[in-house]
Amino acid sequence: MSEIRRKLTTIFSADVQDYSRLMGADEEGTLATLKRYRDAMARLIEAHDGRVVNTWGDGLIAEFPSVVEAVRAAVDVQNELAGLNAERPSETRMLFRIGINLGDVIAEGDDLYGDGVNIAARLQATAPAGGIVISNTVYDQVRNKVAVGFDFLGQLEVKNIEGGVPSYAVRIGAGDDAREALGRESGFGTSSVRQDGSREDGAATAEPARGSGSWGRQSAPGTVQPQAPAGRASATEDTLAGEPAGRSPGNRDQQPAPEATRPQAPPSPAALSNRKFGVIAVIVAAIVAINLLTWDGVLWAVWPLLGLSIFYSLLWLRRRKDIDRTRGLLAIAALTVVAVNLLTFDRTFWAVWPLLGLAIAAALLWVLRRGSPG
């Protein structure tokens, strides 16, 4: 019998928007797309030190020891899936909603139970297609540690949680279009959250029509409370009664919302990367210029240039969470060996031996991972 224990962990819940419609249009194609997208999601989750706890139908539950890595994984997932969807016709695109919560859960073997899981599923159900919603416990840990913006959504009503759960939408892109799309999905005014934790309240909106499945409703003057929409029943509702982490609520109608005040976004990772590339480019130009100005028949600049190339490759690999770190290092080592052999070429291709060793290491890594459980 598995040991039952409690632990504090970060729960990541994901689900497909309009899955029933996609299955009705093309069952086999939808299943193939779901498998491809779920494999990409599992790879990114593993790259951020998370683990997939459970999958069911079109849903997925994962956990992370780090709150920051959970949010980074969610952002990477939505960015990669957006790229995959861009290659598909609009009617066949598969959009995931993601909810993240930090909470105390019951662990039995590899399964997780409790309100911590329920809240993540409810947050996911309120997220727009292709979006991310987090709880206040997650926001408190990541607000100054990730290069994204946040929009305060008010109190999310959750079964068995008195007073609801304050929730935030993650703005993956800081541009106007992302902001306006968030407003259209949400159905009520949001508050922009600065990186220092303060908020700029957006314009209040009217209460949606009675009986609609909009993202939120206005229950009292000055208070905005999102309501969990009607749709698919969530199997995580009754985890305290012994049911494992399961399915989350389904689709919602969408109400337009007025545009809220936009906060100043921090520099994006792409902008920081471009800055580093610019610095390295200036250094390369300086080294080549010095070599040419002191030319004595020897092109010694190739060696510092090789070193800079290796350094930039390592920086690039560190930023790419979708690439296996060990395999990336093996590839960089192989390219370095070939470059050194070519730069010192004396009619002997000695690089074949270290390349053989690296190939054996890569094969062993592949075999060990294929043979590992899970």
Side-chain angles (χ1 to χ4, degrees):
M1 183 175 179
S2 300
E3 178 186 1
I4 297 177
R5 66 190 188 282
R6 301 198 72 99
K7 66 176 181 178
L8 183 67
T9 191
T10 308
I11 303 297
F12 173 113
S13 176
D15 193 77
V16 177
Q17 173 84 1
D18 291 340
Y19 183 69
S20 297
R21 176 185 63 79
L22 294 171
M23 286 292 288
D26 180 7
E27 286 188 350
E28 293 184 358
T30 297
L31 287 175
T33 301
L34 176 64
K35 184 178 186 305
R36 179 187 178 193
Y37 284 24
R38 187 178 280 168
D39 287 346
M41 190 179 301
R43 170 172 48 79
L44 291 170
I45 288 171
E46 181 181 355
H48 287 274
D49 298 324
R51 75 173 182 97
V52 176
V53 176
N54 194 9
T55 59
W56 71 97
D58 59 319
L60 177 146
I61 292 287
E63 71 163 334
F64 292 80
S66 166
V67 189
V68 172
E69 290 302 319
V71 174
R72 287 175 175 168
V75 172
D76 285 350
V77 164
Q78 295 294 31
N79 283 336
E80 178 155 330
L81 297 189
L84 295 176
N85 280 321
E87 304 170 357
R88 305 175 60 86
S90 58
E91 65 274 9
T92 65
R93 291 174 180 172
M94 184 172 289
L95 301 173
F96 279 80
R97 304 181 302 254
I98 297 177
I100 305 176
N101 178 51
L102 170 64
D104 191 83
V105 301
I106 299 172
E108 181 179 10
D110 291 333
D111 293 326
L112 301 177
Y113 306 83
D115 284 341
V117 180
N118 292 340
I119 292 172
R122 286 299 186 187
L123 292 168
Q124 169 266 115
T126 65
I132 306 166
V133 173
I134 63 176
S135 65
N136 63 317
T137 54
V138 174
Y139 170 76
D140 289 341
Q141 298 297 319
V142 305
R143 61 183 181 178
N144 295 320
K145 299 181 179 70
V146 290
V148 294
F150 304 92
D151 292 302
F152 183 61
L153 303 178
Q155 299 288 123
L156 172 66
E157 295 181 359
V158 179
K159 183 179 178 181
N160 298 327
I161 304 296
E162 184 177 355
V165 177
S167 58
Y168 296 79
V170 177
R171 273 186 285 110
I172 302 175
D176 294 351
D177 293 341
R179 177 84 176 164
E180 291 167 1
L182 174 64
R184 288 194 298 271
E185 293 284 356
S186 67
F188 58 86
T190 59
S191 300
S192 299
V193 183
R194 301 189 183 94
Q195 290 297 313
D196 60 4
S198 61
R199 296 202 304 270
E200 295 176 353
D201 293 334
T205 60
E207 182 178 358
R210 188 179 300 275
S212 69
S214 64
W215 192 347
R217 60 182 177 84
Q218 190 170 351
S219 58
T223 302
V224 177
Q225 294 185 337
Q227 180 174 352
R232 293 171 304 191
S234 173
T236 57
E237 285 270 76
D238 302 316
T239 52
L240 289 178
E243 293 294 327
R247 203 172 178 82
S248 59
N251 305 332
R252 298 159 301 285
D253 297 333
Q254 297 174 357
Q255 299 281 344
E259 190 175 353
T261 305
R262 298 185 182 90
Q264 189 70 26
S268 66
L272 295 176
S273 177
N274 290 338
R275 190 177 303 170
K276 291 178 182 177
F277 180 79
V279 171
I280 292 176
V282 171
I283 296 175
V284 168
I287 291 174
V288 172
I290 293 173
N291 195 168
L292 295 177
L293 291 173
T294 60
W295 180 257
D296 57 357
V298 178
L299 188 63
W300 52 261
V302 295
W303 299 109
L305 292 181
L306 176 62
L308 285 172
S309 299
I310 297 172
F311 176 71
Y312 184 75
S313 299
L314 293 173
L315 287 180
W316 178 83
L317 178 63
R318 181 181 180 185
R319 189 169 60 88
R320 291 297 298 268
K321 298 295 184 180
D322 58 329
I323 297 178
D324 182 82
R325 188 70 56 82
T326 303
R327 292 174 182 172
L329 290 174
L330 289 174
I332 292 173
L335 292 174
T336 302
V337 169
V338 171
V340 172
N341 194 170
L342 294 177
L343 291 173
T344 60
F345 193 67
D346 58 355
R347 300 182 181 181
T348 303
F349 190 59
W350 52 261
V352 66
W353 300 110
L355 289 178
L356 177 61
L358 290 171
I360 294 173
L364 289 174
L365 176 66
W366 181 81
V367 170
L368 291 174
R369 290 193 175 181
R370 290 276 295 181
S372 62

